[in-house]
Amino acid sequence: GNVAQLVELIAELRRKDYLVVLISSGAVGMGCIKLGIKKPSNLRTKQAVAAAGQSQLMRMYEDLFSTVRLRVAQLLISQSDFMDKEHWGNVKGTIIECLKLGVVPVINENDSTN
């Protein structure tokens, strides 16, 4: 599928020594599939579904990236992380360290708390 093609492209870029950060979405959608329900309109339910889906989403990334011998790291970021200087410094530092370790950072909005 499309995600597998994206993973192949990232692997190709990494082989050419590009540093890649993957911005991801889909925790709610994955949660709906995992739980066998329609997309909820209620905020609390949506947050719970996102929490259930986030682990499924990362499992998919772990599996797909392992086929191209790459490792991933999960960063869940909220809007406030961009507003707070210290939080942003932590996010940026984590991304840089992941890249130094040869790990592809996968960034997703923290839908379970936002």
Side-chain angles (χ1 to χ4, degrees):
N2 289 341
V3 180
Q5 289 173 317
L6 179 62
V7 168
E8 288 287 344
L9 176 61
I10 291 170
E12 196 176 312
L13 290 168
R14 289 293 298 121
R15 283 192 292 274
K16 295 177 181 176
D17 287 328
Y18 284 91
L19 299 176
V20 181
V21 176
L22 175 58
I23 310 298
S24 176
S25 182
V28 175
M30 279 294 237
C32 289
I33 293 166
K34 180 178 180 175
L35 302 174
I37 61 172
K38 290 181 183 159
K39 186 176 177 181
S41 53
N42 174 289
L43 178 64
R44 290 278 177 247
T45 308
K46 192 185 273 186
Q47 289 171 324
V49 170
Q54 187 60 40
S55 60
Q56 196 73 24
L57 192 61
M58 283 311 298
R59 181 177 174 186
M60 178 190 70
Y61 284 130
E62 290 279 0
D63 291 347
L64 288 171
F65 275 96
S66 72
T67 67
V68 293
R69 294 192 176 96
L70 286 174
R71 291 163 299 168
V72 293
Q74 171 182 260
L75 282 86
L76 293 175
I77 300 177
S78 65
Q79 191 175 4
S80 64
D81 292 322
F82 291 97
M83 309 301 194
D84 183 295
K85 223 174 192 162
E86 188 181 344
H87 284 202
W88 174 242
N90 291 338
V91 169
K92 202 166 113 182
T94 301
I95 292 168
I96 290 166
E97 286 302 315
C98 284
L99 294 171
K100 282 182 186 175
L101 291 168
V103 174
V104 177
V106 177
I107 299 176
N108 199 344
E109 184 179 2
N110 194 348
D111 293 323
S112 63
T113 60
N114 288 335

